[in-house]
Amino acid sequence: MSRPPAIVLVRPQLGENIGMAARAMANCGLDELRIVAPRDGWPNPAARAAAAGGNAVIDSARVFDTAAEAAADLQLVLATTARPRDVEKPVHGPREAARLLRESGARAGILFGPERSGLDNDEVGLAAAVVEAPLNPDFPSLNLAQAVLLMAWEWRMAGPPSETPVPSELAAAEAFEGFWRHLDGALDAAGYYREPKLKPTVQRNLRAIFARAGLTDQEVRTLRGVIARLSAGGRAKDY
Amino acid sequence: MSRPPAIVLVRPQLGENIGMAARAMANCGLDELRIVAPRDGWPNPAARAAAAGGNAVIDSARVFDTAAEAAADLQLVLATTARPRDVEKPVHGPREAARLLRESGARAGILFGPERSGLDNDEVGLAAAVVEAPLNPDFPSLNLAQAVLLMAWEWRMAGPPSETPVPSELAAAEAFEGFWRHLDGALDAAGYYREPKLKPTVQRNLRAIFARAGLTDQEVRTLRGVIARLSAGGRAKDY
């Protein structure tokens, strides 16, 4: 049986929403809550009150400074968004995403952005794929806790996978970050980013290609070898 | 297309929950809210505030004295419960119930009980069938607005599928081959393939990473720029 995904609330504003999200998680059998830079600090009495029977989820929640830190050990990160982004990533509905989570066997997490603004582009950049629910196009914006319920419910309904999943060899987010910094730094040194204004867009697009591929640890090492070798012009020792 | 079911909140206690339920309805394209004997009277400013973009649902809500009156014109009534009742009625999960609603073509409504106690037996008695979600048996009690979202979402998903997002322009095989030959040649020139015996395996693994990513034409150009720049160590003109 695959372990339930971690729910990662990024910069949540209202304690009530954190509590209601925890309650929805408990309803659906999810227990791992990660909170990134909660606006009103932590612990938050309003969150605990709103969690009702889900307060064990609140009590065991872990707090992080950044989404990247919260996702560091995760092998499969999904980002929820209310509207399509310009990044080139696969977009799944919640039902499809839940199936993907069940089948991958990876240590997974789902990112949810702040109530007002949603995830920023760098945070979406941490994810291998985007989850977007096919809601009323005139009013697609779900309350934060409702969005968590929707994913938790779909995960629950996607049921245990038919076979026991093979333990995933996907690289954890931290290893992926190391690879990305290596590539980015090599490109900087080589003068690849000629237009400062375009740099963030070029970085985002380039990163999305590799995020989407779902790299294993071995593949991360291979690509780092490629970067080292190409940028050294034959002088590097890495293979 | 079948008309969406009416959502009937029976003796709801908190205005916030009424508002959040209306918001969830609007998210899923439901617009008919009926409220039976709301504890705090009607209209309720807290309900309207919590509804956010769903306030049209609040403004058009109708209030009734009893569940029987609220259900009087409905042809198919379902009652949601958190725990099995001793009444002899069919019990459906939300997904099955949504299919039933879609297929019946009947003027339908779904009853939701008060936060604290749920529907009483007479109210359940109005329904043709009971809806019970297969939640965590240790904590199955959904928040009222979450329960409404769950049914509204399942109703939406049971419907005609919305259009799938148009996939971006994937690069043709020929363009991918050009990219691959470029990378492979640059690696050869840089002395990356040190072990002739391993070369085919390394090539296969490396190629698989990019094949898997499903590159667009633009991404192929971006990656070729990366290769050119890295292997030229800053001398190349491509971007």
Side-chain angles (χ1 to χ4, degrees), chain A residues 78-82 90-95 97-98 110 129-133 150-151:
Chain A
L78 302 181
T80 56
T81 65
V91 178
H92 304 291
R95 194 154 297 175
I110 311 172
V130 159
V131 185
E132 192 193 318
L150 208 147
M151 281 308 305

Side-chain angles (χ1 to χ4, degrees), chain A residues 1-7 30 32 34 71-78 97-110 128-129 155 161 163-173 211 213-217:
Chain A
M1 154 115 180
S2 56
R3 178 150 171 54
I7 297 296
L30 276 64
E32 188 177 352
R34 303 180 181 195
D73 64 323
L74 301 176
Q75 299 170 298
L76 175 60
V77 178
L78 302 181
R99 215 159 26 227
L100 202 122
L101 291 171
R102 287 279 186 181
E103 282 163 8
S104 83
R107 189 76 198 85
I110 311 172
W155 184 84
E163 305 166 47
T164 342
V166 187
S168 169
E169 289 170 351
L170 288 178
L215 302 175
T216 65
D217 277 321

Side-chain angles (χ1 to χ4, degrees), chain B residues 85-108:
Chain B
R85 303 294 182 119
D86 54 357
V87 286
E88 286 295 327
K89 284 183 196 289
V91 177
H92 304 292
R95 195 153 295 177
E96 201 183 353
R99 216 158 26 226
L100 203 120
L101 291 170
R102 286 277 185 182
E103 283 164 6
S104 81
R107 191 74 199 85

Side-chain angles (χ1 to χ4, degrees), chain A residues 140-152:
Chain A
S141 165
L142 282 171
N143 162 268
L144 175 57
Q146 301 274 43
V148 170
L149 171 69
L150 208 147
M151 281 308 305

Side-chain angles (χ1 to χ4, degrees), chain A residues 27 134 146 153-154 156 213, chain B residues 134 136 146 153-154 156 212:
Chain A
N27 288 147
Q146 301 274 43
W153 164 254
E154 288 291 344
R156 186 168 185 86
Chain B
N136 178 358
Q146 302 271 44
W153 165 252
E154 288 292 345
R156 187 169 184 86
R212 204 164 68 212

